[in-house]
Amino acid sequence: MPPRRSLWAIYKGIEPRHRVLLGMGFMGFSMLGIWVSDRLEKRFPAPADSRVTHRAPANAARPHATTTTQNYYPEPGRQAAMAGRGPQMPMMQPQVIVLKEGTDTSQGMPQLLSNISACIAVCDTIRTTLGPRGMDKLIVDSQKRVTISNDGATIMKLLDVVQPAARTLVDIARAQDAEVGDGTTSVVLLAGELLKEVREYIEEGVGAQVIIKGLRKAADLAIDHIRELAVSVDRSDAAEFRALLEKCAATSMNSKLIGSQKEFFTKIVVDAVMRLDQEELNEDMIGIKKIPGGAMQDSLLVDGVAFKKSFSYAGFEQQPKAFDSPTIVCLNVELELKAEKDNAEVRVDKVSEYQAVVDAEWKIIFDKLDSIVAAGANVVLSRLPIGDLATQYFADRNIFCAGRVSKDDLDRVCEATGCRVQSTTTGLTAAHLGTCERFEERQVGGQRFNIFRGCPRAKTCTIILRGGAEQFIDEVERSLHDSIMVVRRAVKNQAVVAGGGSIEMELSRYLREAARQIEGKQQLIISAAARALEVIPRQLCENAGFDTTDFITQLRARHAQDPKRFRWHGVDIDEEAVADMFAKFVWEPAVVKINAISSAVEAACLVLSVDETVTSQRAQDPMANAQPAPGRGRGMPMMG
Amino acid sequence: MSAVYTTDEYGRPFIIVREQDKKARTTGIEATKAHIMAAKTVANIVRTSLGPRGLDKILISPDGDITISNDGATIMSQMAIENQIGRLLVELSKSQDDEIGDGTTGIVVLAGALLEEAEELLDRGIHPIRISDGFEQACKLAVAHLDKVSDVIPWSKDNTSDLFKCAKTSLGSKIVNKCHDQFAQIAVDAILAVADLERKDVDFELIKMEGKVGGELADTELVRGVIIDKDFSHPQMPKEVKDAKIAILTCPFEPPKPKTKHKLDITSVKEFEELQKFERDAFEGMVRRVKECGANIVACQWGFDDEANSLLLQHKLPAIRWVGGPEVELLAIATNGRIVPRFEDLSSEKLGYAGTIREVTYGTTNESMIVVEDCANSKAVTVFVRGGNKMIVDEAKRSLHDAMCVVRNLIVDNRVVYGGAAAEISCSIAVDKAADQVSSIEQYAMRSFARALDAIPMALAENSGLPPIETLSFVKSQQIKQGITSLGVDCMDTGIHDMKEQFVFDPLISKRQQFLLATQLVKMILKIDDVIVHRADEE
């Protein structure tokens, strides 16, 4: 909208004082106009006062004809924006102002359709990231931070979507990420496709509620069918169970940068998850450390805790750097010679007392240090700084220390070694100490790492990631996170289905058949949902550069010919053919699919059930009604 | 941002993404091509600094500081590249620097060449992922081939001639090749001094680099001890101490002071005198304690005032003040002393020992340094670099660092491949051969990979003033004909093409890392098909 922009720019260029004057001038002029016109009307009354008949709008589809907000003195920008909405209101209407000036309301079917367009537009953005041949997005935010990602949820988050309807898609991607960790792209795609398919019904005037009912029904049918189809793997057979986990992890890595190294990484991921407490499966206990440099294949899994060497004071290098079965103490105590109370002041009366005060201060810190030594610790970790004095004291006594260890690292150390974080050193005994088989400080890449290995309660582990560039490692971390989540899910729930679009094709066939037995409009809606499901294999083909129509029709035919035999047939990207994906070991946990379908349908229904948007304007900025004020947005909390 | 710019049924545009008009977006092949373009440009900048005849770059920072360097990582990081893809390349060379320390130029040139080849394949309509798959396969082959052509070089503490040759290769392209042998020897000696041969661990923190402008490069020396850029606190103190027993203190020579805020009200003259007496007593007590424990020199992390200074002189205690934290640590390690946090803790066993501690003055300037030699523990060494100007000293330091990294890598893994691009040429031949046996589209990508490997010898030859294509084809044909994989580009024009004879070695892990990292980065770049950039706010 170039003219509007420039007008606004001109307006903005004016000094504030002149702007006020201009505004007042406008107001004065229009007041005068009202007054004059009132007088005129009084003097020459109209033959038949037709104010009310004017208000009967002929066109119901026009979105803003019934808008009750019509301000008397529209500002230039606002007026221009309204010019596109339909003919100008007759000048002398009595106006009822219900909503605050500047509030944007849109409603009715057109609103619904425009919401759908918005969702589809968002979907188009992440469409290309699906599948093993999916591409990545490079996003540079306003702070020049570069993110390169293939993960649906991450991309959606960084897109910074403001359109309210499209935001629901961002939310479902996030929800999918939080719930199952993987399949974030598919859920958004599916939701978008559902909306696209039902769009024509909306245009034809089918009630939104009817469509919603149909979609819900389709989702229920599909989910039940997944449960029926899912293949369960017996957990008692350890080897087979592990194979299942590895396959699930491999499938989730397919589309990611690490796809070519998936054998290597699946092993790491599965090992990491298996190391956790099988009851809780708390993924916080898997630490991921990133060190730039080295190749991806140099990444390693430490069966314990590893963290970067913290800032150290003089004397640190004289401490021993390796212990066999050390005794470890974790503290939340500052070991530094400093003022104990910030706002206290000591009044010294006599010079001789001076020394006494100094000695007392030294005693405080030495008491702390002595009690640590007395407890028999030889590795001291603290969340708070360990000063130079303490560092040297420990060096003298062959004790290793590290201050400013971050909280989650310390928690993992505790979990692994069986010690507890102590917030005081008084009463510290050997019982409070933890242990492990070996502790050492090692060089990894350009950094030194403190590594605890062979922990007795090894319910924690650390993955050290390597890679050529920071963005690269970040993306590897995201991919691993997805895989870890998937494996975690699979540990809890052993049912799997085949990927590669095969389950979607099967569901699509099933829904199409089921639809035929339903009378009424629902039949159409359910077949629309069936068509929408085909988007996954279609997009897979498209991203890989295959002939989409060819593949989809082939798949459709196979699934229709013999649902049993061709049940797991999907798109085999590597061979560029239609093949049995189950036999190819492209497995995914059934929960991922169930969750994807149910949240996609939820989101679609949510978008469909909205027929009016009311956007309240920000108080200071009535001008930017279609566009949020520039400069906003960075301060918004990031969704995480 | 055309794709998300949508209008509703009535032509009213609506906004989906925040600050839509502030975002620039490129998609599809166009984006990939733009990336390749950017990467190629960056790679071309450092291309000319490859090899022994490579040229240096001069970089001027916004503050007007001048850096002259031949080191890929340094050049890249100082260029302040804006483009995101360019920045990825910077990080690439940086991580090669962190991990290996050498070959930072080669890796960027290789990545640039790979992308250039990829562009050609894209033009033929090959899917970017297929290309990167092919590169990946080729890279695997090349790395396996590197293992095959690598040689183990024997070395031991006494026989370091091969380590020395490797260090020479690394220094070959640098400004210091005027004193080639000397620098290579320094690098080898320094690393061997601090290396833990059993654990194969080299702690770089134990090697300190000091530089001082003045003198010439040839005056650079390796000090088996510590150099502290300070002088004795009093000009009348002896300039040299033999059989030094050093007390290393981290507390100041001043009356004890509580850390808590405190206040002393002095109300009478008597009290004031008491205070003064207390202070003097405190000083004397300190000096006495130092004397008692047997120290004959004091190094202090903090300062002390003139009163303490003259007191120390009276008691014939040479002292060094304001020694920085890392130096204190190095000093303690070198002399096997303990850092003492307060005077009460001083005892004879906490003192460090050094054969000599002397103050050295340089040239006509008033600057002097303290050299601590013949220490109890020879693990800490200092390389003292001299040079005509600051730029040269800095560049010499960087070059030495690279050379030391090479030696370190050999201590960790003593396999080498041959330099002069012999390894690249040999890998290129191997990959090209293997490509013919691949039945899918990846075949093309693999051939391109082989061609990209050829870019390194080409650049080498070009920088050395040789006809690139002729040289490459000659070496390649010779390698195939004679079956010797150590034939490379004869950059120095000695007439010998066998790098084994010329003793041009590169550590295997360095080359391997170059291949892997460059390929992975290229894969990442090829995988991007959509770029969304927030333009910076105009406001």
Side-chain angles (χ1 to χ4, degrees), chain A residues 232-248:
Chain A
S232 219
V233 172
D234 188 9
R235 209 184 156 160
S236 51
D237 185 348
E240 202 170 306
F241 183 57
R242 200 191 149 87
L244 157 88
L245 296 183
E246 279 184 4
K247 275 155 207 159
C248 288

Side-chain angles (χ1 to χ4, degrees), chain A residues 554-609:
Chain A
Q554 212 175 329
L555 275 173
R556 244 188 241 161
R558 283 207 189 176
H559 280 269
Q561 275 161 20
D562 191 346
K564 272 245 157 61
R565 206 177 116 215
F566 295 119
R567 177 182 284 173
W568 299 122
H569 274 224
V571 187
D572 183 355
I573 304 285
D574 296 330
E575 303 290 330
E576 199 174 338
V578 168
D580 188 339
M581 297 318 279
F582 205 81
K584 287 257 172 195
F585 299 123
V586 180
W587 296 2
E588 279 180 272
V591 241
V592 173
K593 287 293 166 206
I594 293 176
N595 209 58
I597 290 176
S598 61
S599 41
V601 168
E602 271 316 311
C605 292
L606 188 66
V607 173
L608 288 175
S609 61

Side-chain angles (χ1 to χ4, degrees), chain A residues 130 185-187 189-190 500-501 504 532-541 552 571 593:
Chain A
L130 189 79
T185 308
S186 358
V187 70
L189 265 188
L190 207 53
E504 284 84 3
L533 277 167
E534 283 173 2
V535 70
I536 303 284
R538 195 163 64 230
Q539 196 60 45
L540 279 178
C541 292
I552 292 295
V571 187
K593 287 293 166 206

Side-chain angles (χ1 to χ4, degrees), chain A residues 210-223:
Chain A
V210 177
I211 297 174
I212 290 173
K213 205 175 146 210
L215 287 183
R216 292 235 163 95
K217 172 104 179 121
D220 289 344
L221 284 171
I223 289 171

Side-chain angles (χ1 to χ4, degrees), chain A residues 126-282:
Chain A
I126 65 160
R127 206 163 262 277
T128 53
T129 63
L130 189 79
R133 292 275 159 81
M135 306 291 269
D136 288 3
K137 308 271 158 210
L138 187 150
I139 299 169
V140 185
D141 68 9
S142 47
Q143 261 129 54
K144 297 257 159 223
R145 270 189 308 251
V146 178
T147 310
I148 297 176
S149 185
N150 179 280
D151 180 47
T154 311
I155 298 168
M156 294 296 275
K157 191 173 87 183
L158 290 171
L159 273 182
D160 206 3
V161 175
V162 285
Q163 214 279 344
R167 279 197 71 109
T168 55
L169 294 187
V170 181
D171 290 341
I172 54 168
R174 270 174 61 205
Q176 176 84 2
D177 194 33
E179 189 65 22
V180 282
D182 194 31
T184 47
T185 308
S186 358
V187 70
V188 175
L189 265 188
L190 207 53
E193 199 65 19
L194 281 170
L195 288 171
K196 201 175 186 174
E197 290 293 339
V198 297
R199 184 192 180 135
E200 52 180 294
Y201 297 116
I202 300 270
E203 276 168 352
E204 281 164 14
V206 179
Q209 288 304 330
V210 177
I211 297 174
I212 290 173
K213 205 175 146 210
L215 287 183
R216 292 235 163 95
K217 172 104 179 121
D220 289 344
L221 284 171
I223 289 171
D224 286 344
H225 194 56
I226 295 182
R227 292 223 166 91
E228 252 168 60
L229 286 176
V231 179
S232 219
V233 172
D234 188 9
R235 209 184 156 160
S236 51
D237 185 348
E240 202 170 306
F241 183 57
R242 200 191 149 87
L244 157 88
L245 296 183
E246 279 184 4
K247 275 155 207 159
C248 288
T251 310
S252 85
M253 277 179 209
N254 260 335
S255 60
K256 305 286 153 71
L257 254 183
I258 52 177
S260 53
Q261 250 79 41
K262 62 184 175 207
E263 291 91 11
F264 177 77
F265 281 105
T266 45
K267 212 175 130 358
I268 286 184
V269 165
V270 175
D271 277 343
V273 175
M274 295 308 274
R275 230 168 253 292
L276 295 181
D277 191 342
Q278 295 299 311
E279 293 299 307
E280 283 176 26
L281 286 179
N282 182 359

Side-chain angles (χ1 to χ4, degrees), chain A residues 136 138 140 159-160 162-163 255 260 294 317-318 346 348 361 389 396 466 468 470 543 632 634, chain B residues 16 18-19 91 95 99 127 259-261 263-264 329 337-338 513 517 523 527 530 532 534 537:
Chain A
D136 288 3
L138 187 150
V140 185
L159 273 182
D160 206 3
V162 285
Q163 214 279 344
S255 60
S260 53
E317 292 299 329
Q318 284 178 300
V346 183
V348 187
E361 274 187 348
L389 171 70
D396 258 1
R466 312 298 313 276
E470 219 170 287
N543 289 350
R632 203 197 133 207
R634 271 161 311 259
Chain B
I16 297 172
R18 195 191 302 288
E19 290 169 24
E91 287 213 21
S95 49
E99 185 78 2
H127 195 282
K259 293 270 179 182
T260 314
K261 221 193 286 168
K263 197 174 172 189
L264 177 63
E329 190 157 19
R338 287 294 183 185
Q513 187 85 7
L517 282 186
K523 266 183 70 184
K527 213 165 176 287
D530 198 342
I532 300 167
H534 270 257
D537 264 326

